[in-house]
Amino acid sequence: MKLIVAYIQPHKLNDVKEELYKSDIFKMSATNSLGCGQQKGYHESYRGVDIEVNLLKKVRLEIAVNDQFVQLTIDAIIAGAQTGEIGDGKIFVMPLEDVIRIRSREKGEAAIG
Amino acid sequence: MKLIVAYIQPHKLNDVKEELYKSDIFKMSATNSLGCGQQKGYHESYRGVDIEVNLLKKVRLEIAVNDQFVQLTIDAIIAGAQTGEIGDGKIFVMPLEDVIRIRSREKGEAAIG
Amino acid sequence: MKLIVAYIQPHKLNDVKEELYKSDIFKMSATNSLGCGQQKGYHESYRGVDIEVNLLKKVRLEIAVNDQFVQLTIDAIIAGAQTGEIGDGKIFVMPLEDVIRIRSREKGEAAIG
Amino acid sequence: MRKRLFMFVGLAVLLGGGQLFAQELTLEEIKFSFDMIWLIFAAALVFLMQAGFAMVETGLTRAKNAGNIIMKNLMDFSVGVLAYWAVGWALMYGSSSGGLIGTDQFFLAGADSVIYRDWMFQVVFAATAATIVSGAMAERTKFAGYLLYSLVISAAIYPISGHWIWAGGWLAEMGFHDFAGSTVVHSVGGWAAMVGAVLLGARRGKYVRVKGKVTVKAFPGHNIPLAALGVFILWFGWYGFNAGSTLSGTDPDIAWVATTTTLSAGAGAILAMFTSWIWFGKPDPSMSMNGALAGLVGITAGAWVIDPLGAIIVGAIAGALVVLSVEFLDKVLHIDDPVGAISVHGVCGAWGTLAVGIFGDLAKVGSGLTRAGQIGVQALGIGAVFAWVVVTTLVLFGSLKAVGALRVGDTEELRGLDISEHGVESYSGFQIFSNM
Amino acid sequence: MRKRLFMFVGLAVLLGGGQLFAQELTLEEIKFSFDMIWLIFAAALVFLMQAGFAMVETGLTRAKNAGNIIMKNLMDFSVGVLAYWAVGWALMYGSSSGGLIGTDQFFLAGADSVIYRDWMFQVVFAATAATIVSGAMAERTKFAGYLLYSLVISAAIYPISGHWIWAGGWLAEMGFHDFAGSTVVHSVGGWAAMVGAVLLGARRGKYVRVKGKVTVKAFPGHNIPLAALGVFILWFGWYGFNAGSTLSGTDPDIAWVATTTTLSAGAGAILAMFTSWIWFGKPDPSMSMNGALAGLVGITAGAWVIDPLGAIIVGAIAGALVVLSVEFLDKVLHIDDPVGAISVHGVCGAWGTLAVGIFGDLAKVGSGLTRAGQIGVQALGIGAVFAWVVVTTLVLFGSLKAVGALRVGDTEELRGLDISEHGVESYSGFQIFSNM
Amino acid sequence: MRKRLFMFVGLAVLLGGGQLFAQELTLEEIKFSFDMIWLIFAAALVFLMQAGFAMVETGLTRAKNAGNIIMKNLMDFSVGVLAYWAVGWALMYGSSSGGLIGTDQFFLAGADSVIYRDWMFQVVFAATAATIVSGAMAERTKFAGYLLYSLVISAAIYPISGHWIWAGGWLAEMGFHDFAGSTVVHSVGGWAAMVGAVLLGARRGKYVRVKGKVTVKAFPGHNIPLAALGVFILWFGWYGFNAGSTLSGTDPDIAWVATTTTLSAGAGAILAMFTSWIWFGKPDPSMSMNGALAGLVGITAGAWVIDPLGAIIVGAIAGALVVLSVEFLDKVLHIDDPVGAISVHGVCGAWGTLAVGIFGDLAKVGSGLTRAGQIGVQALGIGAVFAWVVVTTLVLFGSLKAVGALRVGDTEELRGLDISEHGVESYSGFQIFSNM
Ligand SMILES: Nc1ncnc2c1ncn2[C@@H]1O[C@H](COP(=O)(O)OP(=O)(O)O)[C@@H](O)[C@H]1O
Ligand SMILES: Nc1ncnc2c1ncn2[C@@H]1O[C@H](COP(=O)(O)OP(=O)(O)O)[C@@H](O)[C@H]1O
Ligand SMILES: Nc1ncnc2c1ncn2[C@@H]1O[C@H](COP(=O)(O)OP(=O)(O)O)[C@@H](O)[C@H]1O
């Protein structure tokens, strides 16, 4: 099992969700995040002063999947989030040793979905 | 050492904390999160329009523990968060290679608590 | 590759960022978090009632780095965040199996920076 | 030289035994002073309705567009006052050409203190009509286009139909009665809002067509307490709007008007609450707020000629009507009006105007018409103003659309107008899911 | 036919040399006009206090209940105006039956412009009393139960004790003096709030019993700027509340009343700040705000008979008192009052009423009593109203509790009343730790 | 005994055929009543400006200091009213000693209803001057130090220069004209703000020196809707501020003043918007808001002597000026004024005062001076008040700085003043990046 963490542009969240649904991945968790990356990005200004927006708003997705779903998930995220522009985001894949469903105490692969 | 990530219902946070305290687990970090899971959940409506609340509010807990504490932590979380209803949440267990206490530069098992 | 997760005091974020920049680490993601740790901390009071602030505000940093950067990153975080007082925070090091740049589909070490 | 030594003057007067004033202050000046302070006080209250609209509209839309809504509300007033000073007043209250349009007093030429007073009281009404529209067009309109719209409605669209009714124009001649502006102000704003919302199209993602079936989505407002504050401020301002429309500080009916206004608003809020409760299963806050406003808009035309019980009925019907209308526009017609402006101001404005015919004391209306006749004239007025506003705003918004000045691009809309149109965020530091 | 051709009338008047008015406007009409615009103006200001209460209560409670608080504030006014129109006014100002209760003028039958004017001024006071309660019962009361409560307090509880004092009832006969309602309005609201809070019980997690010892927890308000705005709005409204209670636009004491009101509020804020500073180590914002309100409530009874220095003393004591009272209710009695309504309105209302006896100019009070006698009568009035309100609200809230209509369930409370009672969120898109 | 049986009195009057009043109400009393209700009404409106300032300042600074700003605004008013009651009024309006300072009426000794009325109207002006400063010194000033400052400006600094101009002092004697206080109120606040901001130094991280070059950073305000609400409330209050400054409820120029005030504010907002649009590429909301305020401040001195077209020009220039001034102070002088108070109140206050000389109707000004002479006197007044305020506040803030009571420590500043000075959070439960 893997835990996939993806940083995407906030306004791409719906597109990514749709692509994931298409690949039958329905479970995920999302958090707000501020990201520092290659995207030096658009400049905001406030009262005429440029705001050094080097922490840009991102959405952080966390998706736990069984091994055979990893590539599918990655592809779906890319399909939904890619524009080709700097700032599209990153995907991180991490090992996941166990999953427990709190409701039923199910464990492992059975609990993930 | 493991990093335990748990998604629970927001209003169960206090109960979970209490259960963890009882097992002498005092350190943790909590974040707000939106979760997509089996829980299609209650419907909110706004001005008569159903809101497709497929991103439900969850609290994401992150607890780094030594190996012998893993089961204890899982049990405590379940004790505090379980209601038997859909939406109770999930627990993820991930490998943790190192921990460093910023204050003292202590490392490893000594730094975790 | 490793994923480094660090909890620091919110008001140290700028210092940490500066130290990371000095070590040529430019990419990171930050989230708000509430932390429970050794720091029983300052007491807030509201209308004369002590608030049991056992969930203190922290910033959670997530930095994916190649192996040779791990120590450098840890040192930079410590340099920026250490005050010697309780509450300075923790650093967690986790294994990272893969990284994908959404924009270009680059993978692995090349995608991290 | 004018000094602020008023207290000494005051003392002198007290010592001087009144002789000073007996010489100074005539009865006509007394009457004039009553009207002056009453109308300026009322005008200030109506001005504050700008804050009310700004808060309601901001609160009921999404955080990522809050600064833009604010800017629209600030600038439609600012542009509006200059436009109404230069042109609007003249077209509305200048000497009438055939009951259709005013023709002089541009730039308030030749104004005396009476004209300044009346202009002050009228300009805030003009600005109210203008600002209604920003709510319905929220979250997707180009800022520059909106500025232009503000100019035109305050300079021409509002004043001309206003002339027909409030300046002795042809509708007034026929006996049309609209005490404080259910039609003159609110419907004008409401119909303009409708045309704007239709030409703009819905916000991205509001109506999703899946397999031929349209699913309606809700974009919940981001700040209900602010919206509620706006509603209270509007209600407060309405005491200036309606009671001030007695146009006289010595009119004993000031209290009557305030009473009917209060009762209608209360009834509107209650009925909207129960309607939403029955219909959706829960009493909906934003609908109840709309209900209070619906009651206020509804009684505006008849506040002076409808009695308290009548006012409660008018308000109650408006409260139910506004919920039905919001539902109908959203679920059936798929017109995307984020704050319910078309229903509150357009529909309930029309209802209130009609209600004058149905419930009004004909003697007080004073048109000499029969009840059926009065209802007919009221309906005619509603129709005439509807036609006028729809046609002119179709041209206005249509032209803006044709030159691409009406709607922002998709990415701008998704990111939010605060960043794309103004380069700022409204809630800096707060963590907000701005993608929703 | 009524046209909005006021300017021409105005012009005619100016040209006509006053003759018009010399015939038209008598001195009594002038007096009447002063009272009319003054009272309607004051009523509008008091109305705005609804916004003030809504903002204070919303700001000092948690985000997950914001929409519910808003709804309560909107609906208690809306329900209240209808109730006070139908029944309340009659019970309060109808012909007295033995100094105990009014008996006619139901549905404002037979009202003329004086009655409408007075109703308008009185209804906003009734609504103030009603709305005080929502703060103390916040975050756990069932919405439907609250609606019923609103109806009863506006229709009966408030009007009847009001009759005793402001309509020539038995307390008035004895010489009891309550200028603008420290007891009539504020204490009534405050004691009702107390009974409500006690019968409801504390919010879940507020008082935690660990090993026989009760630990008190704080639930910090979620929006201090909004609460502060509410306080400023209330203070503003108080100029209508107190200065308007001269009931006459020609009373030279309007300025006196405004002055004592201002000074007492300032002293209250300062003393509350210092008290909290000394006691808790830091100057507490929400306590200082409560202090300003305490000063305002405290001077309300005596604003007309207490001089500026006295007003400062009354306000200062109220400011200190409110902090002590909040502490005492919370830490000793464990009555959970999220916004301090019992202390501000109940306790400081009683204090202000007593202060009339202590500091009031007896000649102005005009009861013919000695100072000790006046203090006695004031105390009697405080006690009588306390008893009346406690008994009636015990019955009212007790019945609601008996049928399970008083308090929401635990899960509802934890989730927040916005979702459980209204199915909406108030700050959509914001990331909020709603579990705290 | 005072009962609230006003309706019966009213009825009696109506029945009694006016005889009652013919005996009762003299013409001088009528005049007096007009002035009374007008000034108290206006005072209430000006009071509400405290809420406006509080919201603007809160909205334009960071969330972590919101409660502190609120406390400063609440307490500078509360401290200010007591100070102005005890000392300020006497120094300002007591019998003049050589046109320099008032010398009697401490603690309002010997006041009658005229004095109370005038005190009420004046105290809110004094409080306005005081509260301007909190914005410029926001986010880094010690609370205790600020309290002391509030005391001194309300008790002495403001009243003394006010005496020169509004109480027949030496500047008034020379023909200096400042109708409602561009200089007396706004510049005094603005210059004090400037000295305070300079002595305090910038907020940590505002001006970062990298390799000898200073980079200017922006700290965006955390709540633009709240700031906008504040601007609308201020604009509303300004109708009391300016129109009330006719000091008479029978002055036909009330409408004129309201008109020029409205037009100038509108022009200011528009020009500031366009200036920011051209300069920064986008129409900046907070600058446009500053522009509306700049227009209001600008016309304050000349609202009575400048005509509508002149008012538009004055406002437009103020609107452009405020943007340039903000830029200049920030980018060139590196004076850190979080809300633009120095530019809005100091600079545009000076501009408005000068504009009286340039655009004012000299006959109405009535000083007997030539245009050049009037401009000269206006400039002299601007300079004299500038000097007075700069010197006195240098001493005041300098002393506070010397004893370490001016600025909080670095950690306190980083954590936010809400936690470090008051031990609370203002937005409990919200996730906020408070480090930015
Ligand atoms: N090494 C990293 N560690 C943690 N977060 C990262 C890292 N690299 C990128 N991110 C996250 O991904 C987001 C997008 O990265 P960016 O470099 O701007 O995109 P791109 O790779 O398309 O140029 C960043 O804003 C940040 O949140
Ligand atoms: N595979 C997953 N990846 C990431 N988050 C998940 C996953 N499954 C569940 N979650 C999180 O856990 C929460 C609860 O899951 P849900 O399926 O509703 O509960 P249950 O398993 O009790 O039915 C979700 O809202 C989501 O935040
Ligand atoms: N075992 C842990 N699991 C998760 N988060 C932790 C853990 N230990 C510490 N933290 C995070 O780090 C923060 C600082 O920890 P704390 O113990 O106060 O610091 P210190 O080690 O300097 O005493 C905590 O507030 C919490 O957010």
Side-chain angles (χ1 to χ4, degrees), chain E residues 277-326:
Chain E
W277 206 332
I278 291 163
W279 203 319
F280 319 141
K282 306 245 175 175
D284 186 80
S286 78
M287 280 294 187
S288 308
M289 294 176 201
N290 273 174
L293 300 181
L296 289 163
V297 170
I299 200 60
T300 292
W304 185 64
V305 296
I306 294 177
D307 68 10
L309 185 61
I312 291 172
I313 297 168
V314 170
I317 291 174
L321 191 61
V322 79
V323 180
L324 307 191
S325 172
V326 165

Side-chain angles (χ1 to χ4, degrees), chain E residues 236-249:
Chain E
F236 173 64
W238 235 285
Y239 289 112
F241 203 96
N242 282 6
S245 289
T246 54
L247 304 177
S248 155

Side-chain angles (χ1 to χ4, degrees), chain A residues 6-9 33-40 54-59 84-92, chain C residues 2-4 25-30 61-65 96 99-104 106 111-113:
Chain A
Y7 287 92
I8 59 168
Q9 296 279 29
S33 176
L34 294 184
C36 236
Q38 256 177 65
Q39 184 191 19
K40 295 284 143 44
N54 58 8
L55 285 174
L56 298 163
K57 295 200 167 156
K58 300 284 166 188
V59 163
E85 282 170 47
I86 283 182
D88 276 356
K90 290 267 174 74
I91 303 172
F92 302 116
Chain C
K2 302 291 173 209
L3 188 78
I4 297 178
I25 301 153
F26 295 107
K27 307 218 155 178
M28 73 197 76
S29 303
L61 285 178
E62 213 169 64
I63 313 170
V65 290
L96 179 61
V99 177
I100 300 103
R101 192 192 304 281
I102 293 175
R103 172 165 48 91
S104 58
E106 275 167 278
I112 217 160

Side-chain angles (χ1 to χ4, degrees), chain B residues 27 29 62 64 101 103 112, chain C residues 35 38-39 58 87-90:
Chain B
K27 307 218 155 177
S29 302
E62 211 168 66
R101 191 192 304 282
R103 172 165 48 91
I112 219 162
Chain C
Q38 257 177 65
Q39 184 191 20
K58 299 285 166 188
D88 276 357
K90 292 267 175 73

Side-chain angles (χ1 to χ4, degrees), chain D residues 6 27 76 86 90 147 202 206 213 218 262 302 320 350 364 406 416:
Chain D
F6 49 102
L27 279 172
D76 63 29
L147 285 184
K206 174 73 183 142
K213 224 189 120 267
T262 306
K364 244 177 152 181
L406 194 59

Side-chain angles (χ1 to χ4, degrees), chain B residues 3 13 17 21 26-32 60 62 64 94-105 107 111-113, chain C residues 2 5 7-8 31-38 54-55 60 74-75 78 82 84-86 88-95:
Chain B
L3 188 77
L13 177 58
K17 258 170 54 187
Y21 285 1
F26 295 107
K27 307 218 155 177
M28 74 196 74
S29 302
T31 326
N32 271 332
R60 179 185 189 273
E62 211 168 66
M94 298 156 74
L96 179 61
E97 297 191 351
D98 207 353
V99 176
I100 300 104
R101 191 192 304 282
I102 293 176
R103 172 165 48 91
S104 59
R105 287 182 174 267
K107 295 194 94 180
I112 219 162
Chain C
K2 302 291 173 209
V5 171
Y7 287 92
I8 59 169
T31 326
N32 271 332
S33 176
L34 294 184
C36 236
Q38 257 177 65
N54 58 9
L55 284 175
R60 180 184 188 273
I74 293 173
D75 290 343
I78 294 179
Q82 195 181 42
E85 281 170 47
I86 282 181
D88 276 357
K90 292 267 175 73
I91 303 171
F92 302 116
V93 182
M94 297 158 74

Side-chain angles (χ1 to χ4, degrees), chain D residues 92-182:
Chain D
M92 188 153 172
Y93 287 108
S95 315
S96 188
S97 169
L100 287 172
I101 194 166
T103 56
D104 54 13
Q105 300 186 40
F106 290 91
F107 300 93
L108 290 191
D112 58 10
S113 61
V114 174
I115 300 286
Y116 284 126
R117 182 196 71 195
D118 294 349
W119 180 82
M120 194 60 227
F121 189 65
Q122 290 302 320
V123 71
V124 288
F125 281 70
T128 302
T131 208
I132 286 167
V133 176
S134 55
M137 298 177 69
E139 311 203 88
R140 57 209 193 278
T141 309
K142 273 201 181 157
F143 182 63
Y146 186 80
L147 285 184
L148 209 81
Y149 144 79
S150 303
L151 191 69
V152 176
I153 194 167
S154 304
I157 298 176
Y158 168 84
I160 290 174
S161 52
H163 181 83
W164 304 346
I165 299 165
W166 278 353
W170 65 274
L171 274 169
E173 283 301 315
M174 295 184 64
F176 182 78
H177 179 89
D178 182 5
F179 180 68
S182 283

